Structures are given as structure tokens and as C-alpha cells.
Amino acid sequence: MEYFYLLILVFLLLLACSDLFVGVSNDAVNFLSGALGSRIASFKTVMVVASLGVLFGATFSGGMMTIARTGVYNPEMFSFENLMIVFFAVVITEVTLLNIFNKLGLPTSTTVSIVFALMGGGVSMAVLHLLSTGESLLNLGQYVNTTRASILIFGIICSVPIAFVGGTVIQYFCRLLFTFNYQRLYRYYGALFGSLSLSAIVFFLLFKGAKGSALVTPEVLHFLNTYTFELMACIFAGTLVAFQLAIMMFNLNIFKIVILAGTFALAFSFAGNDLVNFIGVPLAALDSWNIFQASGQDPANLMMTGLREDPQTNPLYLLTAGSIMVLTLWFSKKAMHVVRTTINLSSSDRGDSEQFGSSLLGRLVVRHTIALNGFVQSVLPEDMKKVLEARFEPLPVKKNEVQLPFDAVRASINLVVSSILIASATALTLPLSTTYVTFMVAMGSSFADGAWDRESAVYRVSGVLTVIGGWFMTALAAFTTCGLMVTICYYGQLPAILIVMSATVYFLVKENFFSKDDLVAEKQDASTDPFVIRQRLNASIDHIFARSIAVFEEALDQFFDGNLKGLKKAKAHALEAYDEVMKIRHEYYTMARQEEGVNQDVCHYYYRALTNMKEVSLSLETIVRMIHDHVANSHRIYKGQLQQDLYSLVSSLKSIEEVLTFYKNEGVMDVQRLDRRMHRTHEAIDQMQANLISRIGEEKLSLRSTELYLSILQLVRELLNRYNIVFLMQKELNDQCNRALLENEQKTGEEETFRSETEDGLLSRLFKK
């Protein structure tokens, strides 16, 4: 039996390494987005600074390890046997959930995951123990540390509004002070801003966080506590003078120092506060194993009162964990994927291509906010409104200049405010969600900056609500999943644990080493070269036309089979096809925003062609949804000739697809052959509409069935008409490109002839001489 618990312990320690990898991939957004989004320094510089912050911060996390030991449950009420099962279930649950959220590219809270997993596992084990001993479930309160658990949950929930309001207010006043043209004013206020920021970082990281460090001796801690005011005054005055002199003599960019210091501080705070989420439970299991080994008692009778003692975490464990976190920062592609999510949501760029769609709640929030803003604008005096508008006037984007997601002022506020809030929580041994804090500070600062204009506000708000909803879903999923896992392992014992271990290893290997998702695919450069546009449009027409036919055929197949589940997949495929067309069409907007080298005729061809393809994709998505609802409502499914006629349309569309050779032959195609096939398809649709009149009475078709059939025919007719326009646009673009090539060839030939004649003349004159 002893080897059974040793197996669990070894597996948990190995899984802790994976948990560090997964957790850092999820939480790297917390301290990287500010510096990377503002591009204040090179990528390598930011990564080195963040790595040092993580490594040093890991040594300050020793005091947080009590959360996994006594933060949610009372260990003296659990036996060693039961508590090892709880530890096993908690780690399995956390790693699995974080992998799922990373795959979706959503930042979630590792703190929420670990706290609610511990709570779900502890409650489940307590209920199972009470049922097995015949005790009343009213004694459940003796097993759960309700007071401490309530504080943890309350702190996590309160961190959301505090972080958002704090980020909004501080960013508003800093922007009011510096404006967007901060390079002009930071010579006067930059030294004070930098000194205040660095002093606050040092105070909360060193003076408040030193008591949790495994490397700070009691003597040093006593010295810091005794002379806090004197030391902080020296730090503030020294940095103020040094910064002001550096600005005057060397034109030093204070914001660069603040952002890099904030990156270090936030990475430091993250490691100090969140390391318990990754290795706290495995280390608690290790301490439980040591207590069991020293006691010599039966595992079912040994109560884990020893976990009440203050943990003496080995600094080597913390440094090893910090090293793994640093390696993850440098080599995890998923980390960069999650970073892009938060940067996009807080970006100042226009809302022409948002990551999230709109939601009803998001629309309501934006609508009421606009109404409130209108009321405030009506109350403010005109002079004050003009002053405020001038202070918040964004700088115009220069030609060929890439617009950054946010500037140095906002990046500084994001990093400094977040690190202060997290470091404060760490000093109170409160496992605050670093993801909650950093994400909401970033959203608050972007809101204060006016990054959420009327073109993007509803999508940004919906995105924030989606991410926050994901966090609460994490809590529910962690609680229920861990409780279910504890129940399975409690009754299944060794066989169940071995099965869970195998499934977990398979899942982790599959997701992290054999995943086919391209998480780092970059957007294509929106080139305005006519030949590049022609190549992209040729490829797009072939691909989108073929995909539309495939979705249409899939919907008909599932419709005639009455397969509702298959129609749900067809709906999803139709929506994906529509989204793909919208992304390709968005390149036109990017082209149009370039002020130099833009061929408006070529862009016009591209836009009109993609607009018509978009309308076809939208109509297709609507028809597939109508077919799905038709089957879901158990209405009649077409048989006989009606079914054969619709399938014949699919064959006609495929015959048209065979003629499309734009992409392969650079625009050369058999136009007459294409026209004949499209004309025959139009005639077939006319005949089907005429035949439907007689079949309504013969086959007793209902009004719904008749309307659906006519809608399908109308979809095919619209597809033919719109793609006819697409082919026309494509032909004109190809003709223009071919004429340009011919002119270039003629010009090149004339230049070569002139050069040859000139050289011949020179040679003849030389020979005459």
C-alpha cells in the first residue's frame, strides 16, 4: 500500500513541471503584454527582464504555500489516505482545464482554478467520508475552512472592480497630465512620475513582500521594517534627482525605464503570488508523505494535523520552479497566443477586425454608457469640454507608420498599478488572481484612453464579458470536475487512478506536442501590388467557390438523412466559411488605409469581388440555418423528384467549378464554356420553379416546405448571379495585369534595342578611328 501513495506522489511532482509550463503559458500575458504592446524595447530585452523577475519572485513565494495546505479545508479532519486522493484530483483538474483554455486562446485564472478545485475536492471527500461513516452531512462545515475560503473568494471577486476602476482613474489623470504628445511634457513631469512609480514598486515588492522570501534573513527583515520610512524617502529623493538630471543632460526616456521596471515587478509579483497555484499542491503532498513516513501509522488512520505547521519550503524547490517558468517564457508558442488576445482587446486600433463578436449584454452596456456620456457632455461647460478634448486628442498616424496597440503612458500604468495590487495581496498571503488584476487594469486604462470608440466598443465589452465569463466557468468546472475525480478515485482506488494517469498523460502529450493548431500564424502583408492582389484573388475565388459548394452539398446530405447533429456541423461549417470570407475581405480595408502606392482600380476590383462572395456566404449560412430549423421542428423532408432536382443543382455547380482555372493559369479560362454551363443551370432552376407548382398539390407540400424549397433555389440563383460579377471583376483585373506586363515587355525590348544600337554606333566609330 505504501507504493500506491509513492506512485501518486511521484506523478504529482512530475505533473507539477507540466503545470508550470501550462500555467505560465496562460499567465505570461500578465506581465508581457505591456512592454510588448508598447514596443518600448526589443523582444529579447523584455524577455530577459521578465525572466529575471520570475526567477527572483519565485524565491518570495514561500509564505503562499499555506494556501494549498490549510487555505480551503481543515487538514486535521482528513486522513493521509483521503488527502492524497484529493491532491491527485486537484492537480489533474487544474492541468486539464488550463490546457483547454490555452487551446482556446483565452486568459483564465490559475488562482480560481486551484482554489475551486481544492474546494471541490475537499467537499467531495468530506461528503464521501461522512456517508461511509454514517455521520450527518451537517458536519460538513468542520471539514471546510469556510472563513479562509470566503476571504479568498471575496478577494478574487473584489479584485475585478478595484482593478478596473483603479486602472481607469489613474490612467485618466495621467493622460490628462501628459496628453498623447507625452514627449513634449515628460521633461517637466517625467522625473516625478518615474520616481513615484519606482518607489511604489520597491515598497510593495521588497518591503511588503520580503517576509515571504526564503532568502531574506530575519535580521534583514527586521532592518527593513524598522527603517521603512527613511529608506523609502532616500529612494524617492535619489531617483527623482537622478531622473531629472538624466532627462536634462541625456534626454532619457523615463517611460522606458518605468515600463521595464514594471515588467520586472509584475513578473516578480506573478511568480510570488501564483507559484503556489502550480507547485503548492505537489509540495503539500510531499510534506504529507514525509509526515506519513515519520509516523509509521496506518494511512487510513493518520490524520494530517501536521500540515497546520508553517511550511519550511526548500529554496532549491522554488529556484527550480522559477527556472522552469523562465524556460516556458522563451519556448512556449501558446504563451504568445494568449498575449495577442489581451493586446488586441486593449488596442487603440479601430474596430474593423475584432477578435470577439457582439453580445446582447455588451450592446446594452455600450448603449447605456453612450447615453450616460451624452448626459455628462450636456452638463459640462463648453470651455471645460474643449480643454478635455484637447488633452485627449490622439496623435495622427504618420505615413507608413505602424500604429501601436497602446503607447508608453498606458503601458506604464498597466504594469505599475497591476504590480502594486498583486504585491499587496502577496504581502497579505492572499492568492489574488493575477489574470483578473492585469486584465481588468488593462481594460480600465484602455477605456479611459478612449480606445473603445463607437466602432469597437461593443466588441471590446463583449470580449471582456466573454473572458470574465470564462473565469467563472473555470470556477464551476474546477469545482465539479475535481469533485467527480475524487469520487472516481475514492471508489476505484488503484485501477481508477492508473486509468486517470494514463488519460492525463495522453491528453498532455497530444495537446502540447502533436497539436495541429497554428497558434502563431501571422497575418499576410496587405500588399497593394496588382500582381500580388491578382494572385490572392485568383486563389480566393477557387477556394471560396469550392467551399461554398461543399457546405451546400453537406447541408443537403444531412437534410435528406434527417440528421440533426450533422446539420449542426453544417451550420458551423457555413459560419466558418463566412468568417473566412470576411477576413480575406478585410485586407481591402488595410490596403485602403495605406496612403502611398495604392492602385485604387485594383483595390476596387478586389473589394467588389469579395463583397459579392461575402453576400453568397451570408445567404448560404442563412439557408443552412433554415434547413436545420426545418428538421429540428420535424417538418417534412423532400423525397423523390424534389430531392433529385436539388442534387442535380449540386452537380451543375461542380461542373462550373471545373471551368474555374484562375489560380492555375493566371486568369486564363474558357469564358464561353463557363457561360454555357451557368446558362443551363439558370434554365434548370426556372424549370424546377415551374414544376413545383404542380407538385404542391400532388405531394401535398406545406407552405413551409414550399418556401424552403424556393429559398434553396434562390440561393443557387444568387450564387450564379454574384459569381458572374466576380468573374467579370476577375477578368478585368487579369486584363489590366496582362496589359501592364505587355507594356513592361515592350518597354524593356525598346530599351534593349536602343542600348544595342547605341553600343553598335560606338563600336563602329571606334573602328573608324
Side-chain angles (χ1 to χ4, degrees), residues 75-80 291 297 299-306:
E76 63 272 12
M77 300 299 297
F78 293 89
S79 66
F80 172 73
I291 294 172
Q297 298 183 30
N301 299 323
L302 174 61
M303 309 308 290
M304 300 308 298
T305 308

Side-chain angles (χ1 to χ4, degrees), residues 547-559 563-578 617 620-628:
R547 186 169 184 178
S548 299
I549 296 174
V551 172
F552 180 57
E553 184 179 19
E554 178 189 11
L556 290 182
D557 288 338
Q558 304 304 325
F559 173 44
N563 188 348
L564 190 60
K565 185 177 180 180
L567 284 172
K568 289 181 180 179
K569 291 183 179 180
K571 277 176 56 179
H573 294 161
L575 185 59
E576 290 173 1
Y578 175 75
S617 298
L620 178 61
E621 193 269 335
T622 302
I623 290 298
V624 175
R625 188 170 62 251
M626 290 175 59
I627 294 174
H628 171 271

